[in-house]
Amino acid sequence: MTRTTLARAALATTAALLLGACSATTEPTAATGPVPGPPATVAPAKVTRTLPDDPALMVLPATGAESRWTQGLDVLRQQVARSVAADCAREAGTGLPPEPPLAFISYAELPDLAYLGRHGFGHGTEVPVPVSSATPVRTGSDAEIRRCRTRGEAAGEKVREVYLPLQRLWFGELSASRRDPAAVRALRTLPGCLAGKGYRVRDEEAFFALVDKTMMNASTADYARQDRALGSAYATCMRPVEAAREPLRRTLRRQFLDTHAQEVRELRAALVPALRDAERTYDVRLIFPTP
């Protein structure tokens, strides 16, 4: 399976996380053609191990840039799940079927415009993995695979216990930023801006339907160009919207920190030690995407 094929396979997941399910009745159309996107030679995205000064930001992001830390937490859980599942299979003298590389995927409520504008929608930053020299073994039976993957998922969920309850509460608060009158007014400018970039759509949801349709049908040779052009257009046109939303989200977070002061104190004390313990126990690394 090629990198482009993997990217296309992941595209539906990316779009869903960015916006939610697309309407089945949406039929957006492109104009005569998108204006040229960013240069064809964009440096690949990288990863970093740098933690925020306040560990709580990993769990309670208010901006797209802050959500990169949250994406790192998501990927750590997945790394743990895969590590434990692989160990389980080795113990049984078997192996697991190949899986696509892990990738950092953006959040619906917190679009990372700096990343999307540079790299597009068709893939996330792939998580580097060590080259294995292990001798190939037979793939386990369906029952063995299910057993090991269930064990892995349980281990991954255990890692999240220290922060997931508070994170769920916070993400429940984020939807308020979409209902703010200033943000609603800013979002109304999106179709006109996108039309100026060559994409005629009626709203944000229709644009993501167009992203999905365009990238699924793009040729291998044109895939990267189309992807970056779409990401660049979206990032440019969403900046006024995010400029309206981000101050509200920051205000919401200050209120949230006050309302949940005790839980936040406990989180700040426990989070990094728990993550470092997971790294040592499962031989994984906490890393974050960076444009």
Side-chain angles (χ1 to χ4, degrees):
M1 184 176 285
T2 67
R3 183 182 179 91
T4 299
T5 303
L6 287 171
R8 286 175 175 169
L11 181 62
T13 301
T14 305
L17 286 170
L18 280 165
L19 187 64
C22 292
S23 169
T25 61
T26 301
E27 289 294 339
T29 58
T32 55
V35 296
T41 55
V42 173
K46 300 177 182 180
V47 296
T48 178
R49 288 178 57 83
T50 303
L51 295 171
D53 293 335
D54 181 358
L57 296 185
M58 288 188 279
V59 178
L60 312 172
T63 70
E66 290 176 352
S67 77
R68 296 171 202 158
W69 287 311
T70 317
Q71 293 172 48
L73 295 184
D74 294 341
V75 163
L76 183 71
R77 177 193 64 79
Q78 295 174 70
Q79 289 184 83
V80 168
R82 289 193 179 189
S83 175
V84 171
D87 287 345
C88 170
R90 279 192 292 270
E91 290 169 4
T94 65
L96 298 171
E99 296 182 277
L102 290 176
F104 301 97
I105 305 299
S106 296
Y107 283 87
E109 296 291 345
L110 299 165
D112 186 353
L113 300 185
Y115 183 94
L116 294 171
R118 187 172 176 82
H119 299 288
F121 297 98
H123 63 280
T125 304
E126 288 185 8
V127 178
V129 294
V131 177
S132 174
S133 59
T135 303
V137 295
R138 71 172 180 86
T139 300
S141 67
D142 289 347
E144 290 171 324
I145 293 168
R146 283 195 301 271
R147 178 177 63 83
C148 287
R149 285 185 171 161
T150 297
R151 183 184 296 183
E153 287 301 317
E157 290 304 310
K158 187 73 175 175
V159 171
R160 295 203 299 178
E161 286 181 356
V162 69
Y163 66 85
L164 188 59
L166 200 61
Q167 186 183 70
R168 281 177 170 162
L169 289 174
W170 169 238
F171 272 86
E173 297 284 336
L174 281 178
S175 60
S177 65
R178 286 184 171 267
R179 299 191 298 269
D180 178 73
V184 171
R185 286 193 299 272
L187 190 59
R188 292 189 188 122
T189 70
L190 184 65
C193 179
L194 289 171
K197 301 293 183 182
Y199 304 104
R200 294 199 187 105
V201 292
R202 69 187 180 210
D203 55 24
E204 187 182 17
E205 184 175 346
F207 177 74
F208 274 93
L210 177 60
V211 169
D212 184 77
K213 180 179 178 180
T214 302
M215 300 317 302
M216 289 297 181
N217 293 315
S219 67
T220 300
D222 201 37
Y223 185 90
R225 184 192 68 81
Q226 294 253 33
D227 188 20
R228 287 194 296 269
L230 287 160
S232 178
Y234 180 76
T236 297
C237 293
M238 279 294 290
R239 283 191 185 106
V241 182
E242 284 299 285
R245 289 175 178 170
E246 285 187 9
L248 175 62
R249 292 194 202 112
R250 293 181 188 278
T251 298
L252 287 172
R253 183 167 61 191
R254 286 194 294 270
Q255 296 169 348
F256 187 90
L257 292 172
D258 289 342
T259 303
H260 302 277
Q262 179 59 35
E263 297 101 310
V264 172
R265 279 193 295 271
E266 293 171 358
L267 175 72
R268 284 171 170 150
L271 181 59
V272 173
L275 298 176
R276 295 309 188 208
D277 182 62
E279 289 183 302
R280 290 189 297 269
T281 301
Y282 302 108
D283 193 24
V284 295
R285 294 293 176 267
L286 177 64
I287 51 180
F288 313 100
T290 180

